[in-house]
Amino acid sequence: MTRLFNEPSAFADEMIEGFVASHRRWVKRVSGGVVRNTRSTPGTAALVIGGGSGHYPAFAGLVGQGLAHGAAMGNLFASPSAQQIYNVAKAANNGGGVLLGYGNYAGDVLHFNQAQDRLRNEGIDCRSIAVTDDVSSAPPAERAKRRGIAGDLTVFKVAAAAAEAGYSMDATLAIAERANDRTRSFGVAFTGCTLPGADHPLFSVPEGRMAVGMGIHGEPGIGETDIPTADELAELLVSSLLAEVPDGLGDGVASGGARRVVPILNGLGSVKYEELFVVYRRVAQLLAEAGLDAVDPQVGELVTSFDMAGTSLTLFWLDDELESLWDAPADAPAFRRGAVTAEALETTEFTDLAEVEAPIPAASDESRAGALRVLAALGAAKDVVDANAEELGRIDAIAGDGDHGIGMERGVGAAVTAAADAVARGAGAATTLRLAGDAWADKAGGTSGALWGMALHAVGDALGDSKAPDAGAVADGVAAAAAAIMDFGKAKPGDKTLVDVLVPFRDALSTGVSTGESLTQAWGTAAGVAEQAAEDTAQLLPLMGRARPHAEKSLGTPDAGAVSMALIVRAIHKILVEEKTVKENA
């Protein structure tokens, strides 16, 4: 378990602060993460990587000369927000464009794409590479759906070396994609990982058993087996990867030496290096027996998962160009090779994107009164999420990674703080909702952070700052939120997501308002519909997100995102009822 922390909610920020304090030769902190503290060649492409915290050395440990130019660092096991990614990319940009690199997880895809769009709108050439190396997470025909694990290292190292060598943005992206196409990984786990402040792990493995195909966030594996010997584990890992050799490389006659591989035996957190060496002894034998030349083997902790006991094996299939880039010098806190000459930046050469207090637009008295009701509603949402966070995490852990409750707590807490500040500064309803949405997305990270941030923005846009919020505007806002979420996240009813609650809630609310019901009446009816819809998701199989590869595990359990939405809309209805009662008794 994780023993050393202060406030669990402050763990990620304090961890980043300590990392930067101990590695100033390589990095400096910016809003959203870290960037190089050394001078890069002007006009070259910049590689900005990122993901949730809790995986060190990924991602901050890979920032330095010859490797990444910056890392966007989300909260624990939660993707960084689009704002964080944008801030880091702006700070890291050398004038030759920015390549964003990340593991292929729904929240990361959503936030990195949002940041990419924003950078492109400002005229910055921005591209993306989502790493998809985990062979256990989807079949070969669906490689684009696979998650990224320890293969992040090979893709990031090659892309960074290409950028350092002066490759164009097109060429840098192309070589990163080739590295991704030639990287395969497979992992196992013996015990779960425990986040700071939690009293139990995100998942558990029966005593004496091993989870096969485990993900780095604690996503359940594809099966279980008795714990093998070190040699038997090596045989499982190697055979699983050699069963899927990249296209055109199986016969060993491809130009450039298709039979050369970089093996990476990665520890996930609490498997000792000595144990890894015992396993790698047999891995090396097996690779040689298969006629493969093991080039520059890496054995150690490279992409971890807090205190998870587990390991993964990655094979990176080389050609001459890939090998040259892999061997290129690099000097980062957690990965160094060769001789690197790096000149420290002068303080005056660097300007962070300072967190400027957003101006508050003018608002009518009626809208400012509406902002107070928005704050009360968000407060009610916070109370119900806080009370149910543990249960939401338990539901999420059935087929996901178990962090939904934690993420919702972080997001709604930040939203309430931002809304209270906005109200104190005279904001109207729309501005209060928008600022709360930004804070929710920024602090929660992950898919739910992005979607709830989007929802609050949509409702705010419908309410405006010039008039009192009314039932019609609220219904229009909820409809706009549903449309935006489905368009952006691509989920639809039946996919076992919060959309399965949001759509029937939207329909019931719109129907009630259109037939002349008050907002309180229509919302109450719609909340009941939402609760039933959340319960009904227990009979669905997930078709989106981290739970998708383990759909059968979730049958009989409702979707955590659907449940949290139903809880929130019911809590808001109670606030509407209380407000109505107060007015009637005034």
Side-chain angles (χ1 to χ4, degrees):
M1 62 183 296
T2 305
R3 298 173 178 85
L4 301 178
F5 55 89
N6 297 309
E7 286 297 324
S9 60
F11 186 91
D13 282 338
E14 293 180 348
M15 177 273 296
I16 297 170
E17 182 180 348
F19 169 74
V20 172
S22 59
H23 293 87
R24 293 192 187 280
R25 180 164 75 84
W26 293 276
V27 300
K28 63 170 56 188
R29 189 168 187 178
V30 297
S31 302
V34 298
V35 295
R36 288 184 188 178
N37 202 17
T38 54
R39 184 173 288 110
S40 301
T41 304
T44 56
L47 173 68
V48 171
I49 62 177
S53 297
H55 303 302
Y56 190 84
F59 296 88
L62 303 180
V63 175
Q65 210 75 15
L67 242 163
H69 296 73
M73 303 172 68
N75 220 310
L76 303 180
F77 287 8
S79 63
S81 69
Q83 183 66 48
Q84 290 176 298
I85 299 161
Y86 170 83
N87 289 345
V88 174
K90 288 281 284 186
N93 183 25
N94 299 317
V98 177
L99 175 62
L100 303 176
Y102 51 91
N104 189 36
Y105 298 92
D108 292 289
V109 172
L110 291 173
H111 286 112
F112 276 91
N113 281 345
Q114 280 184 319
Q116 176 178 267
D117 290 344
R118 185 173 173 186
L119 291 163
R120 286 177 173 176
N121 289 338
E122 294 183 5
I124 296 173
D125 185 7
C126 186
R127 318 288 181 87
S128 295
I129 176 73
V131 181
T132 55
D133 59 303
D134 185 1
V135 301
S136 70
S137 54
E142 298 181 325
R143 279 197 60 230
K145 294 181 179 179
R146 287 178 172 173
R147 58 196 175 210
I149 51 175
D152 284 356
L153 177 63
T154 67
V155 177
F156 297 164
K157 174 62 176 69
V158 164
E164 203 80 33
Y167 282 36
S168 68
M169 176 56 76
D170 286 341
T172 299
L173 175 60
I175 199 70
E177 291 174 337
R178 194 195 315 169
N180 188 46
D181 288 341
R182 288 171 170 247
T183 301
R184 302 287 189 276
S185 299
F186 188 83
V188 300
F190 310 105
T191 66
C193 52
T194 306
L195 297 181
D199 57 6
H200 59 273
L202 290 178
F203 68 94
S204 60
V205 180
E207 186 72 25
R209 300 283 285 176
M210 178 180 76
V212 179
M214 179 63 61
I216 61 171
H217 299 93
E219 300 93 340
I222 58 176
E224 286 182 3
T225 183
D226 290 339
I227 294 179
T229 65
D231 282 0
E232 289 169 343
L233 176 57
E235 289 158 10
L236 170 66
L237 296 173
V238 172
S239 63
S240 297
L241 294 182
L242 294 188
E244 190 187 316
V245 176
D247 293 343
L249 303 185
D251 57 10
V253 299
S255 63
R259 305 300 291 181
R260 301 196 305 279
V261 297
V262 174
I264 301 173
L265 187 63
N266 174 61
L268 284 167
S270 63
V271 173
K272 301 298 293 183
Y273 273 61
E274 289 85 350
E275 295 175 274
L276 294 174
F277 293 142
V278 173
V279 175
Y280 186 74
R281 160 193 161 275
R282 183 56 179 153
V283 168
Q285 294 170 357
L286 292 168
L287 294 178
E289 291 170 8
L292 299 175
D293 181 11
V295 176
D296 189 32
Q298 302 290 313
V299 179
E301 293 184 345
L302 296 161
V303 179
T304 63
S305 186
F306 267 103
D307 58 335
M308 184 190 294
T311 184
S312 63
L313 178 66
T314 299
L315 293 182
F316 175 34
W317 297 74
L318 298 170
D319 59 26
D320 289 341
E321 185 179 21
L322 289 172
E323 185 169 0
S324 174
L325 294 169
W326 174 259
D327 287 338
D331 184 25
F335 193 90
R336 306 173 202 171
R337 64 150 40 100
V340 175
T341 301
E343 185 178 353
L345 286 172
E346 298 292 337
T347 304
T348 55
E349 293 181 272
F350 181 84
T351 303
D352 185 13
L353 292 177
E355 295 186 11
V356 179
E357 189 176 67
I360 298 297
S364 67
D365 290 342
E366 293 83 1
S367 185
R368 284 197 293 271
L372 286 171
R373 294 194 289 275
V374 166
L375 177 57
L378 288 171
K382 180 181 185 303
D383 290 343
V384 75
V385 166
D386 289 347
N388 291 275
E390 185 174 347
E391 176 63 8
L392 291 172
R394 185 196 68 78
I395 294 171
D396 188 40
I398 300 297
D401 58 12
D403 69 346
H404 182 71
I406 295 171
M408 289 293 290
E409 275 190 304
R410 288 193 298 250
V412 72
V416 169
T417 299
D421 177 70
V423 168
R425 295 163 60 202
T431 297
T432 299
L433 279 164
R434 290 170 189 145
L435 292 176
D438 289 343
W440 193 317
D442 199 37
K443 295 301 182 182
T447 306
S448 66
L451 299 184
W452 276 97
M454 191 176 297
L456 296 190
H457 260 266
V459 176
D461 290 344
L463 298 187
D465 281 331
S466 62
K467 60 182 181 180
D470 59 29
V474 171
D476 289 345
V478 171
I485 285 173
M486 287 190 287
D487 179 65
F488 190 69
K490 307 306 179 188
K492 58 185 183 300
D495 286 347
K496 196 165 186 172
T497 70
L498 63 79
V499 167
D500 290 297
V501 167
L502 179 55
V503 167
F505 175 77
R506 173 203 66 189
D507 294 344
L509 180 65
S510 295
T511 297
V513 170
S514 67
T515 57
E517 291 182 355
S518 68
L519 178 60
T520 301
Q521 291 172 315
W523 193 284
T525 300
V529 171
E531 289 167 332
Q532 183 60 54
E535 184 178 331
D536 291 345
T537 62
Q539 305 310 314
L540 299 175
L541 292 175
L543 301 178
M544 301 285 287
R546 290 180 185 170
R548 178 189 53 79
H550 315 290
E552 70 287 347
K553 291 179 178 290
S554 77
L555 193 61
T557 302
D559 177 69
V563 171
S564 61
M565 173 160 280
L567 288 170
I568 287 172
V569 297
R570 175 56 70 190
I572 291 174
H573 177 246
K574 292 178 182 177
I575 291 296
L576 294 173
V577 170
E578 290 172 3
E579 181 184 72
K580 181 174 181 290
T581 301
V582 168
K583 286 183 177 179
E584 289 173 348
N585 293 336

PDB file of all heavy atoms in Angstrom, residues 520-545:
ATOM      1  N   THR A 520     -38.952  22.330 -11.134  1.00  0.00           N
ATOM      2  CA  THR A 520     -38.881  21.379 -10.021  1.00  0.00           C
ATOM      3  C   THR A 520     -39.655  20.109 -10.333  1.00  0.00           C
ATOM      4  O   THR A 520     -39.184  18.988 -10.105  1.00  0.00           O
ATOM      5  CB  THR A 520     -39.426  22.024  -8.734  1.00  0.00           C
ATOM      6  OG1 THR A 520     -38.664  23.201  -8.434  1.00  0.00           O
ATOM      7  CG2 THR A 520     -39.343  21.054  -7.558  1.00  0.00           C
ATOM      8  N   GLN A 521     -40.883  20.270 -10.887  1.00  0.00           N
ATOM      9  CA  GLN A 521     -41.692  19.099 -11.226  1.00  0.00           C
ATOM     10  C   GLN A 521     -41.026  18.264 -12.322  1.00  0.00           C
ATOM     11  O   GLN A 521     -40.891  17.045 -12.214  1.00  0.00           O
ATOM     12  CB  GLN A 521     -43.080  19.536 -11.698  1.00  0.00           C
ATOM     13  CG  GLN A 521     -43.956  20.146 -10.616  1.00  0.00           C
ATOM     14  CD  GLN A 521     -45.242  20.721 -11.194  1.00  0.00           C
ATOM     15  OE1 GLN A 521     -45.216  21.407 -12.234  1.00  0.00           O
ATOM     16  NE2 GLN A 521     -46.367  20.446 -10.541  1.00  0.00           N
ATOM     17  N   ALA A 522     -40.612  18.934 -13.401  1.00  0.00           N
ATOM     18  CA  ALA A 522     -40.028  18.217 -14.539  1.00  0.00           C
ATOM     19  C   ALA A 522     -38.714  17.543 -14.147  1.00  0.00           C
ATOM     20  O   ALA A 522     -38.440  16.397 -14.537  1.00  0.00           O
ATOM     21  CB  ALA A 522     -39.798  19.190 -15.698  1.00  0.00           C
ATOM     22  N   TRP A 523     -37.916  18.252 -13.348  1.00  0.00           N
ATOM     23  CA  TRP A 523     -36.626  17.679 -12.929  1.00  0.00           C
ATOM     24  C   TRP A 523     -36.857  16.458 -12.030  1.00  0.00           C
ATOM     25  O   TRP A 523     -36.143  15.456 -12.137  1.00  0.00           O
ATOM     26  CB  TRP A 523     -35.809  18.734 -12.195  1.00  0.00           C
ATOM     27  CG  TRP A 523     -34.359  18.345 -11.998  1.00  0.00           C
ATOM     28  CD1 TRP A 523     -33.877  17.463 -11.086  1.00  0.00           C
ATOM     29  CD2 TRP A 523     -33.234  18.819 -12.732  1.00  0.00           C
ATOM     30  NE1 TRP A 523     -32.503  17.358 -11.203  1.00  0.00           N
ATOM     31  CE2 TRP A 523     -32.083  18.188 -12.207  1.00  0.00           C
ATOM     32  CE3 TRP A 523     -33.064  19.750 -13.768  1.00  0.00           C
ATOM     33  CZ2 TRP A 523     -30.789  18.423 -12.674  1.00  0.00           C
ATOM     34  CZ3 TRP A 523     -31.778  19.999 -14.238  1.00  0.00           C
ATOM     35  CH2 TRP A 523     -30.669  19.342 -13.710  1.00  0.00           C
ATOM     36  N   GLY A 524     -37.851  16.537 -11.153  1.00  0.00           N
ATOM     37  CA  GLY A 524     -38.139  15.414 -10.271  1.00  0.00           C
ATOM     38  C   GLY A 524     -38.531  14.163 -11.036  1.00  0.00           C
ATOM     39  O   GLY A 524     -38.057  13.054 -10.747  1.00  0.00           O
ATOM     40  N   THR A 525     -39.411  14.344 -12.015  1.00  0.00           N
ATOM     41  CA  THR A 525     -39.810  13.205 -12.847  1.00  0.00           C
ATOM     42  C   THR A 525     -38.603  12.650 -13.604  1.00  0.00           C
ATOM     43  O   THR A 525     -38.391  11.430 -13.671  1.00  0.00           O
ATOM     44  CB  THR A 525     -40.898  13.631 -13.839  1.00  0.00           C
ATOM     45  OG1 THR A 525     -42.041  14.120 -13.121  1.00  0.00           O
ATOM     46  CG2 THR A 525     -41.317  12.468 -14.723  1.00  0.00           C
ATOM     47  N   ALA A 526     -37.805  13.555 -14.183  1.00  0.00           N
ATOM     48  CA  ALA A 526     -36.637  13.130 -14.963  1.00  0.00           C
ATOM     49  C   ALA A 526     -35.598  12.441 -14.082  1.00  0.00           C
ATOM     50  O   ALA A 526     -34.915  11.504 -14.521  1.00  0.00           O
ATOM     51  CB  ALA A 526     -36.016  14.334 -15.669  1.00  0.00           C
ATOM     52  N   ALA A 527     -35.473  12.872 -12.823  1.00  0.00           N
ATOM     53  CA  ALA A 527     -34.531  12.226 -11.907  1.00  0.00           C
ATOM     54  C   ALA A 527     -34.930  10.779 -11.653  1.00  0.00           C
ATOM     55  O   ALA A 527     -34.078   9.889 -11.558  1.00  0.00           O
ATOM     56  CB  ALA A 527     -34.442  13.003 -10.599  1.00  0.00           C
ATOM     57  N   GLY A 528     -36.230  10.525 -11.522  1.00  0.00           N
ATOM     58  CA  GLY A 528     -36.701   9.149 -11.367  1.00  0.00           C
ATOM     59  C   GLY A 528     -36.371   8.303 -12.578  1.00  0.00           C
ATOM     60  O   GLY A 528     -35.972   7.137 -12.467  1.00  0.00           O
ATOM     61  N   VAL A 529     -36.552   8.891 -13.757  1.00  0.00           N
ATOM     62  CA  VAL A 529     -36.204   8.189 -14.997  1.00  0.00           C
ATOM     63  C   VAL A 529     -34.704   7.883 -15.020  1.00  0.00           C
ATOM     64  O   VAL A 529     -34.274   6.792 -15.415  1.00  0.00           O
ATOM     65  CB  VAL A 529     -36.610   9.038 -16.213  1.00  0.00           C
ATOM     66  CG1 VAL A 529     -36.053   8.445 -17.505  1.00  0.00           C
ATOM     67  CG2 VAL A 529     -38.131   9.159 -16.295  1.00  0.00           C
ATOM     68  N   ALA A 530     -33.894   8.848 -14.580  1.00  0.00           N
ATOM     69  CA  ALA A 530     -32.444   8.669 -14.560  1.00  0.00           C
ATOM     70  C   ALA A 530     -32.041   7.532 -13.627  1.00  0.00           C
ATOM     71  O   ALA A 530     -31.166   6.716 -13.955  1.00  0.00           O
ATOM     72  CB  ALA A 530     -31.761   9.964 -14.143  1.00  0.00           C
ATOM     73  N   GLU A 531     -32.666   7.472 -12.455  1.00  0.00           N
ATOM     74  CA  GLU A 531     -32.340   6.413 -11.497  1.00  0.00           C
ATOM     75  C   GLU A 531     -32.656   5.035 -12.071  1.00  0.00           C
ATOM     76  O   GLU A 531     -31.871   4.086 -11.918  1.00  0.00           O
ATOM     77  CB  GLU A 531     -33.093   6.659 -10.200  1.00  0.00           C
ATOM     78  CG  GLU A 531     -32.562   7.858  -9.425  1.00  0.00           C
ATOM     79  CD  GLU A 531     -33.482   8.319  -8.309  1.00  0.00           C
ATOM     80  OE1 GLU A 531     -34.718   8.105  -8.433  1.00  0.00           O
ATOM     81  OE2 GLU A 531     -32.984   8.897  -7.338  1.00  0.00           O
ATOM     82  N   GLN A 532     -33.792   4.919 -12.745  1.00  0.00           N
ATOM     83  CA  GLN A 532     -34.136   3.630 -13.354  1.00  0.00           C
ATOM     84  C   GLN A 532     -33.171   3.293 -14.490  1.00  0.00           C
ATOM     85  O   GLN A 532     -32.746   2.133 -14.643  1.00  0.00           O
ATOM     86  CB  GLN A 532     -35.570   3.669 -13.880  1.00  0.00           C
ATOM     87  CG  GLN A 532     -36.047   2.335 -14.461  1.00  0.00           C
ATOM     88  CD  GLN A 532     -36.018   1.208 -13.432  1.00  0.00           C
ATOM     89  OE1 GLN A 532     -36.595   1.328 -12.355  1.00  0.00           O
ATOM     90  NE2 GLN A 532     -35.336   0.114 -13.751  1.00  0.00           N
ATOM     91  N   ALA A 533     -32.820   4.298 -15.272  1.00  0.00           N
ATOM     92  CA  ALA A 533     -31.894   4.065 -16.382  1.00  0.00           C
ATOM     93  C   ALA A 533     -30.534   3.610 -15.874  1.00  0.00           C
ATOM     94  O   ALA A 533     -29.896   2.731 -16.469  1.00  0.00           O
ATOM     95  CB  ALA A 533     -31.748   5.341 -17.217  1.00  0.00           C
ATOM     96  N   ALA A 534     -30.078   4.213 -14.761  1.00  0.00           N
ATOM     97  CA  ALA A 534     -28.796   3.795 -14.186  1.00  0.00           C
ATOM     98  C   ALA A 534     -28.862   2.347 -13.732  1.00  0.00           C
ATOM     99  O   ALA A 534     -27.929   1.556 -13.966  1.00  0.00           O
ATOM    100  CB  ALA A 534     -28.421   4.708 -13.025  1.00  0.00           C
ATOM    101  N   GLU A 535     -29.950   1.986 -13.093  1.00  0.00           N
ATOM    102  CA  GLU A 535     -30.123   0.600 -12.642  1.00  0.00           C
ATOM    103  C   GLU A 535     -30.145  -0.351 -13.833  1.00  0.00           C
ATOM    104  O   GLU A 535     -29.578  -1.455 -13.782  1.00  0.00           O
ATOM    105  CB  GLU A 535     -31.420   0.493 -11.846  1.00  0.00           C
ATOM    106  CG  GLU A 535     -31.663  -0.876 -11.240  1.00  0.00           C
ATOM    107  CD  GLU A 535     -32.941  -0.919 -10.416  1.00  0.00           C
ATOM    108  OE1 GLU A 535     -33.317   0.137  -9.860  1.00  0.00           O
ATOM    109  OE2 GLU A 535     -33.558  -1.994 -10.328  1.00  0.00           O
ATOM    110  N   ASP A 536     -30.764   0.064 -14.932  1.00  0.00           N
ATOM    111  CA  ASP A 536     -30.883  -0.788 -16.114  1.00  0.00           C
ATOM    112  C   ASP A 536     -29.544  -1.044 -16.798  1.00  0.00           C
ATOM    113  O   ASP A 536     -29.410  -2.024 -17.548  1.00  0.00           O
ATOM    114  CB  ASP A 536     -31.847  -0.170 -17.117  1.00  0.00           C
ATOM    115  CG  ASP A 536     -33.294  -0.191 -16.634  1.00  0.00           C
ATOM    116  OD1 ASP A 536     -33.587  -0.925 -15.671  1.00  0.00           O
ATOM    117  OD2 ASP A 536     -34.126   0.552 -17.208  1.00  0.00           O
ATOM    118  N   THR A 537     -28.549  -0.180 -16.564  1.00  0.00           N
ATOM    119  CA  THR A 537     -27.241  -0.414 -17.209  1.00  0.00           C
ATOM    120  C   THR A 537     -26.580  -1.689 -16.696  1.00  0.00           C
ATOM    121  O   THR A 537     -25.636  -2.185 -17.322  1.00  0.00           O
ATOM    122  CB  THR A 537     -26.270   0.772 -16.987  1.00  0.00           C
ATOM    123  OG1 THR A 537     -26.007   0.940 -15.581  1.00  0.00           O
ATOM    124  CG2 THR A 537     -26.825   2.054 -17.574  1.00  0.00           C
ATOM    125  N   ALA A 538     -27.073  -2.233 -15.586  1.00  0.00           N
ATOM    126  CA  ALA A 538     -26.514  -3.492 -15.082  1.00  0.00           C
ATOM    127  C   ALA A 538     -26.671  -4.618 -16.096  1.00  0.00           C
ATOM    128  O   ALA A 538     -25.875  -5.575 -16.112  1.00  0.00           O
ATOM    129  CB  ALA A 538     -27.173  -3.879 -13.759  1.00  0.00           C
ATOM    130  N   GLN A 539     -27.661  -4.516 -16.951  1.00  0.00           N
ATOM    131  CA  GLN A 539     -27.913  -5.580 -17.922  1.00  0.00           C
ATOM    132  C   GLN A 539     -27.231  -5.333 -19.264  1.00  0.00           C
ATOM    133  O   GLN A 539     -27.424  -6.098 -20.209  1.00  0.00           O
ATOM    134  CB  GLN A 539     -29.428  -5.731 -18.132  1.00  0.00           C
ATOM    135  CG  GLN A 539     -30.206  -5.964 -16.842  1.00  0.00           C
ATOM    136  CD  GLN A 539     -29.602  -7.082 -15.993  1.00  0.00           C
ATOM    137  OE1 GLN A 539     -29.268  -8.151 -16.514  1.00  0.00           O
ATOM    138  NE2 GLN A 539     -29.453  -6.829 -14.708  1.00  0.00           N
ATOM    139  N   LEU A 540     -26.440  -4.270 -19.340  1.00  0.00           N
ATOM    140  CA  LEU A 540     -25.740  -3.956 -20.589  1.00  0.00           C
ATOM    141  C   LEU A 540     -24.287  -4.418 -20.520  1.00  0.00           C
ATOM    142  O   LEU A 540     -23.712  -4.574 -19.440  1.00  0.00           O
ATOM    143  CB  LEU A 540     -25.776  -2.446 -20.846  1.00  0.00           C
ATOM    144  CG  LEU A 540     -27.155  -1.802 -21.018  1.00  0.00           C
ATOM    145  CD1 LEU A 540     -27.008  -0.280 -21.141  1.00  0.00           C
ATOM    146  CD2 LEU A 540     -27.863  -2.374 -22.241  1.00  0.00           C
ATOM    147  N   LEU A 541     -23.698  -4.604 -21.691  1.00  0.00           N
ATOM    148  CA  LEU A 541     -22.268  -4.890 -21.803  1.00  0.00           C
ATOM    149  C   LEU A 541     -21.571  -3.629 -22.290  1.00  0.00           C
ATOM    150  O   LEU A 541     -22.023  -3.001 -23.251  1.00  0.00           O
ATOM    151  CB  LEU A 541     -22.015  -6.027 -22.793  1.00  0.00           C
ATOM    152  CG  LEU A 541     -22.499  -7.412 -22.360  1.00  0.00           C
ATOM    153  CD1 LEU A 541     -22.297  -8.414 -23.494  1.00  0.00           C
ATOM    154  CD2 LEU A 541     -21.764  -7.878 -21.108  1.00  0.00           C
ATOM    155  N   PRO A 542     -20.474  -3.212 -21.637  1.00  0.00           N
ATOM    156  CA  PRO A 542     -19.789  -1.972 -22.039  1.00  0.00           C
ATOM    157  C   PRO A 542     -19.162  -2.086 -23.418  1.00  0.00           C
ATOM    158  O   PRO A 542     -18.488  -3.069 -23.723  1.00  0.00           O
ATOM    159  CB  PRO A 542     -18.725  -1.788 -20.947  1.00  0.00           C
ATOM    160  CG  PRO A 542     -18.495  -3.153 -20.400  1.00  0.00           C
ATOM    161  CD  PRO A 542     -19.817  -3.863 -20.490  1.00  0.00           C
ATOM    162  N   LEU A 543     -19.393  -1.064 -24.227  1.00  0.00           N
ATOM    163  CA  LEU A 543     -18.822  -1.025 -25.576  1.00  0.00           C
ATOM    164  C   LEU A 543     -17.849   0.126 -25.749  1.00  0.00           C
ATOM    165  O   LEU A 543     -17.325   0.349 -26.843  1.00  0.00           O
ATOM    166  CB  LEU A 543     -19.952  -0.908 -26.616  1.00  0.00           C
ATOM    167  CG  LEU A 543     -20.980  -2.038 -26.593  1.00  0.00           C
ATOM    168  CD1 LEU A 543     -22.065  -1.782 -27.640  1.00  0.00           C
ATOM    169  CD2 LEU A 543     -20.317  -3.390 -26.845  1.00  0.00           C
ATOM    170  N   MET A 544     -17.612   0.878 -24.671  1.00  0.00           N
ATOM    171  CA  MET A 544     -16.697   2.015 -24.703  1.00  0.00           C
ATOM    172  C   MET A 544     -15.823   1.974 -23.459  1.00  0.00           C
ATOM    173  O   MET A 544     -16.172   1.382 -22.448  1.00  0.00           O
ATOM    174  CB  MET A 544     -17.466   3.349 -24.723  1.00  0.00           C
ATOM    175  CG  MET A 544     -18.407   3.530 -25.900  1.00  0.00           C
ATOM    176  SD  MET A 544     -17.553   3.897 -27.434  1.00  0.00           S
ATOM    177  CE  MET A 544     -17.039   5.595 -27.112  1.00  0.00           C
ATOM    178  N   GLY A 545     -14.664   2.637 -23.517  1.00  0.00           N
ATOM    179  CA  GLY A 545     -13.844   2.874 -22.339  1.00  0.00           C
ATOM    180  C   GLY A 545     -13.050   1.663 -21.881  1.00  0.00           C
ATOM    181  O   GLY A 545     -12.973   0.632 -22.542  1.00  0.00           O
TER     182      GLY A 545
END
